[in-house]
Amino acid sequence: DAGLGNGGLGRLAACFLDSLATLAYPAYGYGIRYEFGIFDQEIRNGYQVERPDDWLRFGSAWEVPRPQRVVPVSLYGRTEHVVEGGKQKVRWVDARHVMGMPYDVPIPGYRNGTVNTLRLWRARAAQELDLADFNAGDYLAAVEDRDLSENISKVLYPNDVTVMGKELRLQQQYFFVSCSIHDIVHRHVWRYKKTHPTFDAFADKVAIQLNDTHPSIAIAELMRVLVDEHELEWERAWKICQGVFGYTNHTLMPEALEKWSVDLFGRVLPRHLELVYEINRRFLDEMRSSGRVDEAAVQRMSLIEEGATKSVRMANLAVVGSRSVNGVAELHTDLLKKVLFKDFNQLWPEKFNSKTNGVTPRRWLLQANPELASAITEAVGPEWVTDASRLTGLAPLAEDAGFRRLFRRVKRQNKEKLAAIALAEHGVALDPDAIFDVQVKRLHEYKRQLLNAVRIASEYLKMKSDRSYRPHPRAYLFAAKAAPGYAMAKWHIKLINSIGDVVNADPATRDHLKVLFLRNYRVSLAERIMPAAEVSEQISTAGTEASGTGNMKFAMNGALTVGTLDGANVEIREEVGAENFFLFGMTVEEVEALKAKGYHPRERYYADPRIKETLDAIASGVFSPGEPGLFKPVVDALLDHDPYLVLADFAAYCACQDQVTAAYKDTERWNRMAILNVARSGRFSSDRTIRQYADEIWHLSPVRAEE
Ligand code: 8GP
């Protein structure tokens, strides 16, 4: 629960560290040692309330501070171009200085003698106190300055996909990158000073994988270090950069595309702005003189966006400066090539590749679900822990009534444990015989928690009006943090809680329908939820979820997916078999066609009585007695805009959920399907993903620790 990330992107990195160490790859992770990680979420009267995550309050046993390895970082100031000994040189002067102090977190491999390092940087004041201020008698000003520097690693920005053009955020990115590049260069120079006194071998020995564009300023920083500090020629330095970096893109959402206004960028990083301009000038010249691309494409690929506010496009910098660009699932990579990076793909098709995400079976099966893990080990031997392809050995056991009984007993125990948490934490009694239907992930409109909520509301209304309609009891579980500034997402949390308040209290339905929003979704809670889940909700609008990784954790623990053809759902369905997956909804092509033709959500409302009845109920206060108009804005937004096509997919979703209910009636069949999901989830081990990165991008081999 060191909440040093927001959601899937950071958790993926954590799974990757586990796989890197377990496969004995010589690799480091780098990050920021935030004093406050992702906020703690409380729910008050159904609303999300954020509390600071003071995770270092009692110190951390899992970090080793390395004060002897502090690194100086410059920010602000200006550049001076001088001629020294007949050579053009650039000096970064009048800068503010901050120190980066490394804290090393050991990352042990699974019983293999390898321990890798996650190095987290903490910002410290360059000097304890500014002596000039101090001597002038301004003791307080001296201390305040100190605070300013240390603010850099104070708090994680809690937005999952939407970027915020905040100055402090740019400082964080550069601080982290500058410390890490310094570390990497220093290690190389130190280790190879005898054998390779130059940078000749740098690109052979070093690979840096950029986890989205947040650290992509590293490309300019490595140029600065090589050109300004080590006095390499531009061409040589650029060749090294292009041999070192790989860039992983994690989303197609336009609001995630990082752009920094040239003003802000140049103020915080004056030298880097010059370097970005120079990289761009050379790149655009090359494009224009190649005659391969027209002027419009040149403009689109430029690292600089012209317009009202001129800005630096970090994704374009990442693509131009990297040897490899990858998406995180097949579908996502296809869309990257076709849409987001179309021009670049035409130019450099060989740069683009796909690396479908994965999750570590050590945490998400062995540790989180020890009973199922034992049953698996009993059945196929212990090797699956580090070779997830062995899980296929379970497939024949889907036909074994005894194994199915065991599997069912384990699931039932896990459901009881989660029910105990629900009761203790929320006072809500879940029936362990109910279907545990789960949607846990960050709250975002594109993930469509609202689709799930509206259908639950419609189920409730149907039960109220038709006393004979009593499907198998279901417990709908949600957990999700909303970005504190994302008003609509917060309304969705409130709506889910309000629906829960009404349906859980209604004697007519409460034995058939439960809705619970679990507070403060985080890794430790996910470890309780995944093993207990039976239905995994992966219902994003096709073309919006890059991959998803929760979807993999659920399948690995034997939950059946209700899902759209989005992200890695496509590959999960391929792998587990279409007959063991509940598919619904529009495809990417259908989504595009509908948008092109013009989508009018209000027409769906008038055409489908179930939609109309449910939205009218929500808007008129059936779920907010006492505050009748409370959810009208949520409903209006659906009727007027519905950017993620909730209403367009609603009927298909309901029909699919009816199939789920029908399938659950046949317990033996359900368990067969669930076991096959586990058996065929091996491809979604992050070990497979990491091997692909190592073989296809980094050209890296394992280094076994000596006995
Ligand atoms: C997430 C994707 O939304 C998720 O589908 C994927 O599984 C995960 O990355 C790991 O690849 N993306 C982000 O969190 C993300 O793009 N954050 C934005 C700020 C870039």
Side-chain angles (χ1 to χ4, degrees):
D1 285 323
L4 302 185
N6 265 291
L9 184 152
R11 180 58 238 175
L12 179 75
C15 285
F16 281 3
L17 289 178
D18 183 70
S19 288
L20 284 162
T22 296
L23 298 173
Y25 285 113
Y28 294 78
Y30 285 105
I32 297 175
R33 182 182 175 278
Y34 293 111
E35 195 173 324
F36 296 94
I38 185 67
F39 61 85
D40 273 333
Q41 180 193 52
E42 288 177 16
I43 302 294
R44 291 221 199 115
N45 184 30
Y47 293 96
Q48 165 173 300
V49 175
E50 302 92 22
R51 296 260 151 254
D53 162 42
D54 195 1
W55 73 293
L56 292 169
R57 193 168 46 234
F58 306 118
S60 165
W62 302 108
E63 61 179 21
V64 181
R66 298 251 187 248
Q68 69 278 30
R69 294 246 183 283
V70 304
V71 173
V73 175
S74 305
L75 293 148
Y76 301 90
R78 60 193 173 82
T79 60
E80 267 178 11
H81 292 244
V82 294
V83 180
E84 248 181 47
K87 268 188 134 185
Q88 276 275 357
K89 290 200 178 150
V90 184
R91 293 209 202 97
W92 186 355
V93 298
D94 297 341
R96 258 175 49 190
H97 299 283
V98 187
M99 304 307 282
M101 158 104 124
Y103 285 71
D104 287 352
V105 181
I107 309 291
Y110 183 74
R111 300 185 178 175
N112 68 346
T114 294
V115 181
N116 283 348
T117 299
L118 167 62
R119 181 160 279 188
L120 301 175
W121 300 101
R122 176 186 187 189
R124 311 283 355 231
Q127 297 137 315
E128 273 298 286
L129 296 174
D130 186 307
L131 284 179
D133 274 346
F134 191 64
N135 290 335
D138 200 346
Y139 170 73
L140 290 176
V143 177
E144 276 165 14
D145 259 16
R146 205 193 115 135
D147 269 15
L148 235 47
S149 316
E150 307 209 334
N151 268 344
I152 291 180
S153 57
K154 188 69 70 185
V155 59
L156 168 79
Y157 279 94
N159 306 82
D160 187 40
V161 287
T162 309
V163 299
M164 294 212 145
K166 286 278 195 302
E167 189 159 338
L168 181 59
R169 170 82 181 171
L170 182 60
Q171 292 180 18
Q172 290 183 337
Q173 293 187 353
Y174 178 65
F175 164 74
F176 149 60
V177 154
S178 177
C179 292
S180 308
I181 291 288
H182 177 98
D183 207 48
I184 292 165
V185 170
H186 177 266
R187 187 177 299 121
H188 180 83
V189 169
W190 178 81
R191 182 161 303 159
Y192 297 103
K193 63 176 179 266
K194 292 202 185 69
T195 44
H196 316 279
T198 67
F199 283 90
D200 289 348
F202 192 78
D204 276 347
K205 295 290 177 190
V206 175
I208 300 174
Q209 193 67 32
L210 302 171
N211 198 17
D212 216 275
T213 58
H214 319 149
S216 57
I217 187 67
I219 293 165
E221 173 67 358
L222 184 58
M223 284 301 284
R224 187 189 69 78
V225 170
L226 295 178
V227 173
D228 294 357
E229 293 186 359
H230 292 272
E231 304 191 347
L232 266 61
E233 295 299 326
W234 182 279
E235 288 76 12
R236 221 181 123 215
W238 184 240
K239 207 165 163 236
I240 291 175
C241 277
Q242 284 191 311
V244 162
F245 289 104
Y247 158 49
T248 305
N249 172 287
H250 291 270
T251 183
L252 296 159
M253 305 297 286
E255 61 264 43
L257 274 187
E258 287 199 303
K259 281 175 204 163
W260 293 106
S261 84
V262 159
D263 261 15
L264 171 61
F265 195 97
R267 208 152 38 76
V268 179
L269 301 170
R271 177 57 181 148
H272 297 77
L273 183 59
E274 293 176 351
L275 292 163
V276 167
Y277 276 148
E278 181 60 14
I279 294 169
N280 198 38
R281 186 188 68 76
R282 289 168 182 252
F283 167 60
L284 297 187
D285 279 358
E286 196 185 311
M287 287 304 102
R288 291 192 175 114
S289 58
S290 77
R292 287 181 58 195
V293 282
D294 62 22
E295 187 54 29
V298 171
Q299 295 302 326
R300 289 193 299 267
M301 289 190 287
S302 172
L303 309 194
I304 304 297
E305 184 170 281
E306 306 288 342
T309 41
K310 197 169 164 176
S311 45
V312 183
R313 295 166 167 158
M314 301 310 275
N316 292 22
L317 172 62
V319 173
V320 171
S322 298
R323 176 159 57 99
S324 156
V325 178
N326 75 280
V328 290
E330 302 280 350
L331 176 67
H332 168 59
T333 306
D334 280 351
L335 294 171
L336 273 187
K337 295 204 256 188
K338 273 196 212 128
V339 187
L340 197 54
F341 297 136
K342 186 170 177 208
D343 300 308
F344 288 114
N345 182 54
Q346 278 167 2
L347 195 59
W348 300 312
E350 66 290 345
K351 257 196 205 192
F352 289 83
N353 64 89
S354 190
K355 297 285 169 281
T356 299
N357 283 165
V359 301
T360 170
R362 268 81 58 191
R363 180 175 296 274
W364 296 110
L365 191 46
L366 181 64
Q367 172 174 298
N369 198 344
E371 295 80 9
L372 182 58
S374 302
I376 296 171
T377 297
E378 201 54 26
V380 305
E383 292 80 11
W384 65 269
V385 173
T386 51
D387 176 6
S389 70
R390 300 286 182 106
L391 291 171
T392 52
L394 286 178
L397 291 166
E399 296 308 321
D400 178 330
F403 188 78
R404 284 202 302 271
R405 247 192 326 276
L406 173 61
F407 182 86
R408 190 175 136 99
R409 194 163 62 234
V410 168
K411 184 62 84 182
R412 163 84 194 200
Q413 283 168 3
N414 291 334
K415 288 167 74 180
E416 283 166 8
K417 286 186 203 156
L418 186 59
I421 293 172
L423 190 62
E425 290 270 310
H426 295 271
V428 174
L430 302 178
D431 171 6
D433 286 325
I435 306 173
F436 277 27
D437 178 320
V438 185
Q439 188 171 20
V440 292
K441 46 184 81 254
R442 285 296 292 252
L443 211 139
H444 200 293
E445 287 162 280
Y446 85 78
K447 296 176 187 282
R448 299 201 295 194
Q449 282 93 349
L450 187 58
L451 174 59
N452 192 350
V454 171
R455 181 188 157 270
I456 295 168
S458 86
E459 280 285 290
Y460 169 74
L461 296 172
K462 193 168 167 191
M463 285 186 204
K464 290 291 275 184
S465 63
D466 176 358
R467 297 188 58 90
S468 71
Y469 180 66
R470 290 292 180 272
H472 190 99
R474 260 208 234 195
Y476 293 93
L477 304 175
F478 292 85
K481 287 176 182 174
Y486 189 173
M488 189 52 83
K490 290 179 137 179
W491 279 114
H492 291 180
I493 291 179
K494 171 65 178 166
L495 175 61
I496 293 165
N497 279 308
S498 296
I499 293 173
D501 288 346
V502 169
V503 312
N504 296 350
D506 190 332
T509 58
R510 69 183 170 204
D511 293 337
H512 302 269
L513 192 57
K514 281 274 159 56
V515 180
L516 177 57
F517 188 98
L518 293 153
R519 80 178 69 122
N520 205 26
Y521 186 53
R522 61 201 186 282
V523 170
S524 60
L525 183 59
E527 288 179 356
R528 306 286 160 256
I529 292 174
M530 303 296 168
E534 294 176 291
V535 175
S536 156
E537 300 275 351
Q538 307 301 335
I539 61 178
S540 51
T541 318
T544 62
E545 188 70 272
S547 162
T549 45
N551 47 4
M552 301 169 183
K553 295 165 197 168
F554 279 110
M556 214 172 249
N557 283 279
L560 302 187
T561 306
V562 169
T564 48
L565 284 178
D566 199 19
N569 294 354
V570 177
E571 291 156 75
I572 293 176
R573 178 167 172 269
E574 247 169 46
E575 206 66 14
V576 305
E579 66 287 6
N580 301 309
F581 185 107
F582 295 97
L583 176 71
F584 78 97
M586 283 181 286
T587 61
V588 171
E589 293 74 27
E590 288 164 346
V591 166
E592 271 168 16
L594 177 57
K595 286 191 174 160
K597 166 175 142 253
Y599 171 54
H600 306 291
R602 221 171 268 275
E603 288 172 4
R604 312 286 169 138
Y605 166 85
Y606 286 115
D608 183 340
R610 197 163 170 184
I611 293 181
K612 182 166 187 308
E613 180 201 32
T614 312
L615 293 189
D616 288 350
I618 294 172
S620 68
V622 170
F623 300 99
S624 50
E627 286 175 285
L630 190 65
F631 296 119
K632 184 144 188 312
V634 175
V635 171
D636 285 345
L638 265 184
L639 293 176
D640 293 336
H641 307 291
D642 190 15
Y644 299 105
L645 311 181
V646 168
L647 301 188
D649 265 344
F650 187 76
Y653 180 56
C654 293
C656 182
Q657 288 287 15
D658 291 343
Q659 288 172 28
V660 170
T661 306
Y664 200 81
K665 276 199 190 129
D666 183 347
T667 309
E668 297 302 329
R669 174 170 164 235
W670 184 277
N671 284 319
R672 230 177 255 130
M673 294 166 76
I675 292 167
L676 287 175
N677 266 261
V678 181
R680 297 171 181 171
S681 66
R683 173 170 161 203
F684 305 104
S685 163
S686 46
D687 296 346
R688 186 268 311 146
T689 316
I690 281 301
R691 264 199 201 96
Q692 285 184 298
Y693 276 93
D695 293 346
E696 297 163 23
I697 303 178
W698 308 328
H699 309 298
L700 183 67
S701 308
V703 176
R704 301 271 161 212
E706 281 165 32
E707 291 295 305

